[in-house]
Amino acid sequence: MPPIENDTGKNDLKSQIQLLIDSNQVMVFSKSYCPYCVKVKDLFKELKLEFNAMELDLIEDGTNYQDMLLEMTGQKSVPNVFINKTHVGGCDNTLQAHKDGSLQQLLCAETEAYDYDLIVIGGGSGGLACSKEAAALGKKAMVLDYVVPTPKGTTWGLGGTCVNVGCIPKKLMHQTAMLGTAIQDARKFGWEIDEKGEASEQQRPRRSRRGDIGPVCRVKHNWDTMKDAVSNYIGSLNWGYRVALRDKNVNYVNAYAEFIEPHKVKATNKRGKETFYTAEKFIIATGERPRYLGIPGDKEFCITSDDLFSLPHCPGKTLVIGASYVALECGGFLAGLGLDVTVMVRSILLRGFDQEMANRAGEHMEEHGVKFLRKYVPIKVEELEAGSPGRLKVTAKSTESDEVIEGEYNTVLIAVGRDACTDKIGLDKTGVKVNPKTGKVPVSDEEQTNVPHIYAVGDILEGKWELTPVAIQAGRLLARRLYGGGKLKCDYINVPTTVFTPLEYGCCGLSEDRAIELYGQENLEVFHSLFWPLEFTVPNRDNNKCYAKIICNKLDNDRVIGFHYLGPNAGEVTQGFGTAMKCGATKEQLDNTIGIHPTCAEIFTTLEVTKSSGGEITASGC
Amino acid sequence: MSMRWCSSTQTKNLERWTLSWRTASKVLRNALLRTGFTWHFSKQSFLLSILMAHRLLVRRFWTLSSKDLRCLPVSSSFSTSLQSSRVPVLSRSRSRSLALASLRQAASFNIQDHDDFDVRVIKSELPVLVDFHAQWCGPCKILGPRLEKAVAKQNGKVTMAKVDIDDHTDLAIEYGVSAVPTVIAIRGGDVIDHFVGIKDDDELESFVSKIIGK
Ligand SMILES: Cc1cc2nc3c(=O)[nH]c(=O)nc-3n(C[C@H](O)[C@H](O)[C@H](O)COP(=O)(O)OP(=O)(O)OC[C@H]3O[C@@H](n4cnc5c(N)ncnc54)[C@H](O)[C@@H]3O)c2cc1C
């Protein structure tokens, strides 16, 4: 058919095309042989969307259509896609619109308006950060947060794990224990402490490193005072979060959220009242909760870290089950308060961390009176006597033989890991994929799940760090990308972290074990040294227990790919080196850095001995 | 005046109540609905509801300061409200306490809920100092008693409402409380002044005087 020259013919054609666009929710102008058109049509088929495709190569006046489309849309090529009367564009535009969710938005545009631009499920580190950022960028945002009480009935306020039952109470209780050590040290520095007080029954005298009972100063620790002080501080933080949400215009609802449709959640409050909310986009940030053992008596008689920090009584003689960082940190500070602590370990300490460092941290705990029962798993827990605390009998069996052992404790703390809270939030109603083994949610490098309008941040992510600052960073950057034109993605590489065992362990980058796996031993150089912090010298303790190690990639200019520090103030020491590693620090640059004397961190500017040389690493003088 | 006294009086009244369960149920239903309880129609759960209501009432009465109770004919006020089936018990007792507050110049009281705030603060004829506080807040524990003293000195020209921000978060959020202690002065339903943080006795006294327009 010849090109149309007259206006009437043109107008006819135009209204024909317009009719097609207006009467089809999804209209594709296509050519049957074009691979890009096939791609787009396949996408719509996959999304189970009805669409009308007009194959321009199969109709008579196809070229006229194409010319008119050029006039109408500025686009001549096919596919030429319209959704709900809006011109989307070609193949790339359509795929991109699907990826960033605007396709879904167009599809829903006519049928419904959502209550919110964004609903965030979970008001913890990640959820609060991204909801506040989204609201600051002018979006209508809501946060739904609800704490399901523990089997013991413990519950808490707004802010998630870190504030209520994680980082904050943990570090404060660790600090409590450190102060106990400081009181012991203080005598050596000339402080005279009134020794009339008596240690409480539950507290054992502190042992010196060699195990003999040294000159002990009988200071008592009062659990209630500590617990109340910690709870009060947390109370003020909860309030601070609440106020911040108000000030940032985030609508906060204290209710348990569950998807019932891809764009709709049911929120159930304390009184069981159900309310429904819809949103264009969702962010799941529901975090994790402690795992139980699934053995008789675990939920009835044992506690987890969720209960420990607000326990109404001193836990007394405690069995910690597990060797996670939570287990070692809790066991560590309880021992530091003077309690009799045993840690039951199935296999290794601090799975995923550098094993040499983990073992050194564990050895230090052992030397300071924490007992380790290695290669045992508990099989049942029975109550011998109720009380605050009561008495429990724990039966455990060896992982290597038929041996069965029993022990009596006041408190049993389970710290064998945490499970993502993704199983009871109606994800099946949305099509969001979850790793069936771990419950974790796989996401793209932009925290997008397989369902384009649903994102996830924080502890529930598969293969990502479970740390508060990571959740915050990911949440904030996600909101900026979604609503502020941001481009920056969360960088999950070289994240510094610290385990607050009695001797703290800070690290950044790869563990030695992992580095060897990735690069091969021959391509690595490991520099290391023991050291004796000046503050330990006068009290004469822990000589040659602190340890520094860096792993360098010989193939890349001796770039530091692993940083490990076991010693006081590990968090403070590691933070700055984290920045250095982000900047790609090399061994040479560390050597060229002038140390601050006298400090512990300065050791990293003078590391000389390589592990491969087998050279002497015990500390000498100044 | 003891808690026990308070509750035993009410138990007696409750016995009287059950005699006319139609009337009582209406009263109780109103009362329960106002306090967010759901209403059940079975007789068994009715009794349960009575117990709950009883507990609530005890709490409400108990939170009137002991001064109030001393001159407040609790039992008579209670039975009055029982006789009239139309008026919800709680609001009756509340308006009663309101009337008394102006008559008897009640010093300070704890806010129970939004409605309570409405009646005893917003609709109060006297200016009211609202002390937003929290259990975890050390300075609040110092300011509270000081403020109470300053209010008491005014011989009933001003009252003091205590609001625990964790129990009544919505109120605190509504009134823009960011930090505690926050004290706001309300007259005729309007906020006329406020301060945040701690003050000494003299400062409090002049704050209170200013509020009552001395
Ligand atoms: C003992 C302990 C110590 C820790 N110490 C540190 C540390 O020192 N440093 C560090 O960086 N990290 C630490 N962490 C880890 C840190 O707490 C987490 O990485 C962080 O809190 C994760 O944030 P999130 O936003 O993913 O989830 P969370 O902070 O756990 O928040 C999730 C919130 O969602 C709520 N929720 C769950 N399901 C629903 C639902 N269906 N509806 C409504 N609300 C829901 C939860 O109740 C919770 O409030 C520690 C953790 C523990 C347990």
Side-chain angles (χ1 to χ4, degrees):
Chain A
M1 213 174 154
I4 305 173
E5 300 294 352
N6 61 15
D7 276 0
T8 346
K10 261 189 163 178
N11 282 341
D12 277 355
L13 183 62
K14 191 171 182 179
S15 43
Q16 253 175 38
I17 293 181
Q18 196 60 51
L19 186 70
L20 282 169
I21 294 171
D22 290 351
S23 54
N24 290 288
Q25 193 192 19
V26 179
M27 184 65 215
V28 185
F29 296 95
S30 163
K31 284 184 182 170
S32 59
Y33 56 81
C34 154
Y36 297 104
C37 299
V38 172
K39 219 168 166 180
V40 161
K41 287 181 280 185
D42 282 349
L43 171 72
F44 291 132
K45 279 181 206 151
E46 189 191 314
L47 296 173
K48 299 200 169 50
L49 282 172
E50 266 184 55
F51 62 94
N52 188 357
M54 177 173 254
E55 306 296 348
L56 299 181
D57 60 321
L58 303 180
I59 58 168
E60 237 181 300
D61 53 351
T63 40
N64 289 339
Y65 268 84
Q66 214 167 344
D67 290 340
M68 181 49 76
L69 280 167
L70 172 65
E71 200 179 305
M72 290 169 75
T73 63
Q75 178 191 334
K76 183 158 189 197
S77 60
V78 285
N80 200 336
V81 178
F82 293 83
I83 293 175
N84 273 331
K85 303 185 189 89
T86 308
H87 180 236
V88 177
C91 176
D92 285 351
N93 305 110
T94 309
L95 295 181
Q96 175 60 30
H98 172 242
K99 195 166 161 236
D100 67 22
S102 56
L103 187 101
Q104 279 66 21
Q105 199 177 332
L106 281 173
L107 284 167
C108 306
E110 260 203 341
T111 42
E112 47 185 327
Y114 297 118
D115 302 338
Y116 289 88
D117 294 318
L118 175 69
I119 290 181
V120 177
I121 305 179
S125 312
L128 290 178
C130 66
S131 62
K132 284 190 283 191
E133 194 70 23
L137 290 167
K139 292 294 157 184
K140 193 174 173 204
M142 161 178 269
V143 169
L144 291 156
D145 186 64
Y146 186 82
V147 178
V148 179
T150 69
K152 289 272 177 196
T154 312
T155 184
W156 51 87
L158 177 62
T161 302
C162 182
V163 186
N164 295 286
V165 288
C167 335
I168 300 295
K170 179 275 294 289
K171 180 92 187 277
L172 289 173
M173 294 193 177
H174 169 69
Q175 169 66 5
T176 309
M178 302 293 279
L179 287 172
T181 311
I183 295 171
Q184 305 294 331
D185 286 358
R187 294 158 40 94
K188 301 284 183 58
F189 285 93
W191 290 99
E192 289 167 10
I193 295 158
D194 180 6
E195 295 187 12
K196 268 181 293 194
E198 269 179 43
S200 77
E201 230 173 81
Q202 286 165 341
Q203 291 169 327
R204 54 188 173 77
R206 290 172 164 273
R207 279 161 198 281
S208 76
R209 241 184 55 235
R210 271 156 287 136
D212 52 311
I213 300 180
V216 175
C217 87
R218 291 190 158 285
V219 285
K220 268 201 295 191
H221 180 260
N222 185 321
W223 174 271
D224 286 351
T225 308
M226 171 185 73
K227 184 227 1 163
D228 289 345
V230 170
S231 300
N232 285 347
Y233 178 61
I234 292 172
S236 74
L237 291 179
N238 295 144
W239 178 251
Y241 285 117
R242 185 66 191 85
V243 168
L245 290 179
R246 174 193 65 193
D247 293 350
K248 292 255 159 82
N249 268 324
V250 177
N251 195 1
Y252 162 69
V253 176
N254 183 203
Y256 188 87
E258 203 179 322
F259 280 101
I260 52 164
E261 286 171 26
H263 283 274
K264 191 175 198 174
V265 287
K266 176 174 85 181
T268 311
N269 76 4
K270 271 206 290 285
R271 284 180 230 101
K273 187 170 165 256
E274 295 177 354
T275 316
F276 299 86
Y277 303 101
T278 59
E280 186 200 329
K281 290 192 172 69
F282 288 84
I283 295 176
I284 313 170
T286 47
E288 297 182 311
R289 294 294 290 269
R291 183 179 305 147
Y292 280 82
L293 295 160
I295 59 166
D298 65 345
K299 286 197 173 152
E300 294 93 314
F301 308 124
C302 303
I303 63 167
T304 69
S305 56
D306 280 358
D307 304 294
L308 177 66
F309 301 116
S310 57
L311 201 66
H313 52 262
C314 178
K317 183 181 175 189
T318 302
L319 174 69
V320 179
I321 299 173
S324 61
Y325 79 85
V326 174
L328 298 193
E329 288 178 342
C330 293
F333 77 68
L334 291 176
L337 302 183
L339 302 179
D340 182 331
V341 175
T342 305
V343 181
M344 185 181 286
V345 183
R346 185 181 57 186
S347 57
I348 59 167
L349 304 184
L350 301 179
R351 188 176 300 279
F353 287 91
D354 187 289
Q355 282 303 294
E356 181 190 19
M357 302 305 290
N359 290 330
R360 284 180 185 273
E363 270 162 37
H364 174 267
M365 286 175 71
E366 211 156 359
E367 282 161 7
H368 285 264
V370 176
K371 285 165 271 184
F372 280 83
L373 280 172
R374 285 175 189 264
K375 305 223 186 297
Y376 284 100
V377 287
I379 50 178
K380 67 176 172 190
V381 179
E382 295 155 291
E383 183 169 65
L384 298 175
E385 189 188 325
S388 332
R391 280 192 308 125
L392 301 171
K393 186 172 96 179
V394 180
T395 312
K397 73 172 190 339
S398 163
T399 58
E400 297 177 314
S401 66
D402 294 337
E403 188 199 2
V404 169
I405 55 167
E406 286 179 352
E408 232 186 271
Y409 303 92
N410 296 115
T411 299
V412 177
L413 174 78
I414 302 175
V416 292
R418 299 167 60 79
D419 290 322
C421 304
T422 52
D423 56 337
K424 296 188 190 75
I425 55 173
L427 286 184
D428 52 320
K429 309 282 189 333
T430 63
V432 169
K433 282 199 194 104
V434 171
N435 181 327
K437 278 206 202 103
T438 58
K440 295 254 184 175
V441 181
V443 292
S444 70
D445 64 350
E446 303 197 46
E447 286 85 26
Q448 190 172 33
T449 69
N450 63 307
V451 176
H453 73 280
I454 302 179
Y455 297 77
V457 294
D459 283 5
I460 60 167
L461 298 192
E462 182 172 70
K464 302 287 198 298
W465 293 94
E466 294 171 16
L467 293 167
T468 269
V470 175
I472 293 175
Q473 179 89 340
R476 192 177 291 152
L477 293 180
L478 173 58
R480 282 186 201 159
R481 286 195 309 273
L482 290 177
Y483 303 119
K487 291 272 173 285
L488 209 57
K489 296 174 195 171
C490 183
D491 183 358
Y492 293 92
I493 310 288
N494 283 340
V495 172
T497 183
T498 289
V499 180
F500 293 94
T501 32
L503 198 55
E504 300 169 3
Y505 164 40
C507 61
C508 183
L510 301 176
S511 66
E512 193 176 339
D513 325 65
R514 183 83 184 121
I516 291 172
E517 246 174 74
L518 288 177
Y519 294 93
Q521 185 118 49
E522 66 283 6
N523 294 318
L524 301 175
E525 197 70 88
V526 177
F527 296 86
H528 66 161
S529 179
L530 289 164
F531 62 97
W532 199 19
L534 183 63
E535 53 270 41
F536 291 4
T537 56
V538 169
N540 196 21
R541 66 174 167 94
D542 295 320
N543 191 2
N544 284 317
K545 292 296 159 193
C546 298
Y547 181 66
K549 168 165 96 175
I550 57 169
I551 300 151
C552 301
N553 181 1
K554 285 201 265 190
L555 301 177
D556 184 19
N557 213 10
D558 269 347
R559 205 172 302 284
V560 182
I561 55 169
F563 171 97
H564 302 272
Y565 168 93
L566 184 69
N569 307 309
E572 316 298 341
V573 169
T574 308
Q575 182 69 80
F577 285 102
T579 306
M581 285 176 69
K582 267 247 155 343
C583 303
T586 60
K587 175 71 169 73
E588 190 188 358
Q589 285 167 333
L590 287 187
D591 292 342
N592 285 340
T593 305
I594 292 176
I596 302 172
H597 192 66
T599 64
C600 294
E602 67 177 320
I603 188 84
F604 288 102
T605 65
T606 57
L607 286 174
E608 271 166 13
V609 183
T610 61
K611 224 177 192 180
S612 54
S613 73
E616 181 62 38
I617 55 164
T618 47
S620 42
C622 240
Chain B
M1 188 150 311
S2 72
M3 181 90 163
R4 193 145 37 90
W5 184 86
C6 209
S7 50
S8 68
T9 317
Q10 287 175 25
T11 321
K12 253 184 236 148
N13 285 315
L14 280 166
E15 279 161 14
R16 238 184 291 161
W17 257 16
T18 42
L19 294 179
S20 149
W21 104 280
R22 272 247 170 111
T23 321
S25 67
K26 236 186 224 166
V27 175
L28 196 67
R29 182 184 179 178
N30 283 336
L32 290 173
L33 286 180
R34 297 187 125 260
T35 50
F37 279 100
T38 45
W39 179 247
H40 312 280
F41 284 95
S42 78
K43 205 154 190 181
Q44 215 173 8
S45 54
F46 167 75
L47 288 173
L48 194 89
S49 308
I50 284 199
L51 280 174
M52 279 153 97
H54 176 219
R55 215 179 290 151
L56 260 168
L57 287 166
V58 170
R59 221 180 60 190
R60 182 167 300 277
F61 274 92
W62 185 239
T63 52
L64 297 174
S65 74
S66 49
K67 247 195 223 158
D68 280 328
L69 285 174
R70 205 171 300 139
C71 45
L72 170 70
V74 178
S75 53
S76 76
S77 104
F78 196 75
S79 37
T80 320
S81 53
L82 281 176
Q83 277 147 26
S84 115
S85 61
R86 289 281 147 76
V87 184
V89 180
L90 296 184
S91 76
R92 173 50 84 98
S93 70
R94 229 184 266 133
S95 50
R96 188 82 194 170
S97 71
L98 169 71
L100 263 149
S102 23
L103 274 177
R104 255 303 285 116
Q105 301 136 5
S108 60
F109 44 85
N110 287 316
I111 291 298
Q112 296 303 300
D113 55 32
H114 223 286
D115 290 348
D116 190 28
F117 188 83
D118 209 38
V119 173
R120 292 208 272 183
V121 178
I122 300 298
K123 302 211 174 97
S124 167
E125 283 155 27
L126 292 172
V128 187
L129 294 179
V130 186
D131 175 19
F132 289 97
H133 66 95
Q135 294 207 323
W136 41 262
C137 155
C140 297
K141 301 203 170 90
I142 302 169
L143 184 75
R146 276 190 200 162
L147 194 62
E148 223 158 321
K149 211 167 66 187
V151 166
K153 264 195 184 166
Q154 297 300 333
N155 288 322
K157 294 198 195 75
V158 58
T159 63
M160 172 176 167
K162 294 185 253 184
V163 178
D164 183 317
I165 61 167
D166 290 315
D167 294 344
H168 309 294
T169 306
D170 290 350
L171 270 177
I173 288 292
E174 192 180 319
Y175 280 87
V177 176
S178 293
V180 275
T182 287
V183 175
I184 62 172
I186 292 188
R187 192 167 53 202
D190 297 325
V191 177
I192 52 169
D193 206 350
H194 84 286
F195 70 84
V196 182
I198 204 148
K199 281 189 187 297
D200 66 26
D201 287 333
D202 291 345
E203 288 169 320
L204 284 178
E205 204 165 312
S206 63
F207 181 83
V208 176
S209 315
K210 210 172 90 201
I211 297 310
I212 58 176
K214 254 191 196 167

